[in-house]
Amino acid sequence: MDPPSLVPEMWPPPQPHLPLAGMRLGGIMIGRVGPSSSSAAAAAAEASAAAAAGPRDLSVDESSLTEQSGAAGRGRRRRRDTAASEDESSKPVSTSSGNEMTDSEVKRLKVMKSGDENSKGEAALKKPTDQNPLPPEPPKQDYIHVRARRGQATDSHSLAERARRDKISERMKILQDLVPGCNKVIGKASVLDEIINYIQALQRQVEFLSMKLEAVNSRMNSGIEGFPPKDYPSQAYDAPTALAFNPQTPREYGQGSAAEWLHMQVGGAFERVT
Amino acid sequence: MTATGSPGNPNPNLSKPMLVHHFLRALARVNRAAPKQSHARRSRRIRCAAYASMAAAAGPGRRWSRVLLRRLRSSPSSHRRRISVRVARPPRIATASSRVETLRRLVPGGRSLGYCSLLEETADYVRWLDAQVQLMQSLVDFFSS
């Protein structure tokens, strides 16, 4: 390795954990980004190798700044990972193909640009005093920026929100299938309007039909009075109270012949209607 | 029992025979218990019986059926009691609120539900209400024929 790239790593002994944590976060975020993560890592390794090995003096001032910070970070990481296997880490660089190289070039350019924008003022200050450990803020900011932009889909909150939205739209679809004429309506508000109208119409229809049923039923009273009264539980005759959740209603259900007959009639008609 | 419903039905046990059974019993009970009541009162009882049989056939698995049954059971004195029981709820965030609030008022027990579960309850309630209306219509047709 190049000695100057190692200097900033060795330089700050009091806080060795901070830059390492930053780099680890960066590595995780890069690995999370997408399918090009391995190529990005390889490209990063290649960039650090290229910056560390030879042509550092060829690079311009600004690029040398960002390259220095990146190279310092990568050198640190590489040293932490495998101290002795530098050629091993440079192997995937040689095997990486051309388009990956271009991708990595784009990424490195982006890194350079953002780092340049962020730390140009600091660079002028810190370049003369090279003793200052280059703060790992520019790469950190960069990675955080990447996470905010790309990682929206994998964020747990947005995942939960997306699941909720999916659930809502699925139920909306079920409701649209239930309410007639609701499939043609476009827009959530008008779908809700349709649902509300349908429910109100159904409730009004229940009211109307109960009136009608009362009128018809009082005429046909004898037919219903023909039910054998032993069929009914004698504890409560109030309709709502007796209609508690009675688990044994299906058993009584087949007992009364008149009730069964009427039920067959009406139920058959009812099933035919539906 | 015939379990009818769409394939994506969250509550597949919409059993119409149970609904018919409950409603016919309730109807007979209304006829027997109150033969001399006024028409309005009787039709109101029939309406209550319709809702109650719907909720009873739907079972206690749904919030709307529980709330409906509780409301129907305590209906004579509920108007007096409800005032003291009512607790001030935090006002909901008003986004598309007028429609959703209307829906909350229409579906029994929907006031305290979130939007997602409100839609689920609404779907179930609409299904049962539809079945009840069809049952009543076929009963009217049957009796008047």
Side-chain angles (χ1 to χ4, degrees):
Chain A
M1 279 300 258
D2 217 10
S5 73
L6 284 184
V7 162
E9 195 264 334
M10 301 301 291
W11 169 243
Q15 66 258 18
H17 293 290
L18 210 63
L20 284 184
M23 277 318 295
R24 185 186 286 268
L25 174 70
I28 285 177
M29 287 327 292
I30 276 190
R32 220 174 164 194
V33 155
S36 71
S37 62
S38 62
S39 72
E46 183 264 346
S48 71
R56 270 200 59 182
D57 6 359
L58 291 183
S59 60
V60 220
D61 215 7
E62 53 194 34
S63 77
S64 81
L65 168 72
T66 55
E67 288 287 323
Q68 194 179 0
S69 67
R74 270 79 183 233
R76 223 172 285 147
R77 183 170 154 222
R78 193 186 300 166
R79 254 186 58 133
R80 190 165 43 86
D81 286 339
T82 55
S85 66
E86 244 184 29
D87 34 3
E88 275 186 19
S89 66
S90 65
K91 255 177 196 167
V93 175
S94 61
T95 57
S96 64
S97 65
N99 48 1
E100 283 176 355
M101 288 294 287
T102 61
D103 191 10
S104 69
E105 286 291 327
V106 167
K107 194 172 279 289
R108 191 169 50 153
L109 267 180
K110 236 184 268 173
V111 168
M112 271 167 52
K113 208 163 281 178
S114 64
D116 188 28
E117 288 168 4
N118 282 334
S119 64
K120 203 164 207 173
E122 301 168 6
L125 292 181
K126 283 176 183 162
K127 192 61 178 174
T129 65
D130 212 6
Q131 305 278 324
N132 275 357
L134 272 181
E137 275 126 24
K140 215 192 230 174
Q141 276 183 351
D142 194 45
Y143 290 129
I144 284 177
H145 176 65
V146 164
R147 176 171 62 175
R149 185 164 46 86
R150 284 202 188 167
Q152 280 177 350
T154 56
D155 194 6
S156 69
H157 290 280
S158 55
L159 273 183
E161 180 60 29
R162 180 186 296 168
R164 178 175 169 272
R165 261 183 278 132
D166 284 350
K167 213 157 68 172
I168 283 180
S169 63
E170 173 196 344
R171 285 170 188 174
M172 215 46 150
K173 200 168 291 175
I174 291 177
L175 269 173
Q176 274 183 330
D177 289 341
L178 276 179
V179 176
C182 205
N183 279 322
K184 308 178 186 77
V185 179
I186 298 171
K188 208 181 95 176
S190 25
V191 168
L192 277 180
D193 275 342
E194 286 289 322
I195 292 167
I196 287 169
N197 284 338
Y198 188 59
I199 292 180
Q200 279 173 340
L202 282 182
Q203 286 175 345
R204 252 180 278 127
Q205 206 167 358
V206 166
E207 196 163 342
F208 170 71
L209 281 176
S210 63
M211 284 166 62
K212 206 169 170 182
L213 202 57
E214 191 269 337
V216 170
N217 202 8
S218 58
R219 260 197 289 124
M220 299 288 292
N221 214 354
S222 58
I224 288 211
E225 291 286 16
F227 282 132
K230 60 175 158 49
D231 265 356
Y232 305 111
S234 58
Q235 68 261 31
Y237 276 159
D238 194 17
T241 2
L243 281 175
F245 300 123
N246 201 350
Q248 52 190 351
T249 33
R251 196 167 43 80
E252 311 171 4
Y253 161 65
Q255 283 179 359
S257 59
E260 197 174 5
W261 172 80
L262 185 58
H263 173 266
M264 282 307 166
Q265 291 287 320
V266 176
F270 177 48
E271 293 293 337
R272 253 184 282 123
V273 162
T274 53
Chain B
M1 294 294 154
T2 58
T4 57
S6 56
N9 194 347
N11 181 18
N13 44 5
L14 195 153
S15 76
K16 280 170 181 171
M18 281 307 290
L19 183 62
V20 175
H21 171 63
H22 280 299
F23 187 57
L24 282 183
R25 276 179 38 164
L27 214 55
R29 209 173 292 126
V30 168
N31 276 334
R32 207 151 8 95
K36 291 186 177 59
Q37 280 175 343
S38 67
H39 292 288
R41 197 175 165 82
R42 277 168 56 100
S43 70
R44 186 178 167 275
R45 286 195 65 158
I46 288 177
R47 199 183 70 216
C48 284
Y51 281 122
S53 59
M54 200 172 86
R62 288 287 174 182
R63 185 178 170 82
W64 66 264
S65 61
R66 293 195 300 264
V67 169
L68 200 52
L69 271 188
R70 196 169 61 219
R71 198 183 291 167
L72 285 173
R73 274 183 201 148
S74 63
S75 65
S77 57
S78 69
H79 303 296
R80 268 169 290 148
R81 230 187 300 153
R82 203 194 294 167
I83 298 169
S84 62
V85 166
R86 175 166 292 177
V87 181
R89 290 197 185 86
R92 292 187 180 276
I93 303 160
T95 53
S97 69
S98 63
R99 294 185 176 91
V100 180
E101 287 304 317
T102 313
L103 200 59
R104 281 208 176 90
R105 265 191 289 111
L106 284 178
V107 178
R111 281 171 201 264
S112 57
L113 288 178
Y115 184 55
C116 202
S117 35
L118 174 72
L119 287 185
E120 198 177 353
E121 289 283 322
T122 307
D124 198 57
Y125 182 63
V126 163
R127 208 172 284 131
W128 280 97
L129 202 57
D130 197 17
Q132 178 68 34
V133 164
Q134 283 172 358
L135 166 65
M136 290 173 84
Q137 185 66 57
S138 61
L139 267 181
V140 166
D141 292 345
F142 173 73
F143 280 133
S144 56
S145 66

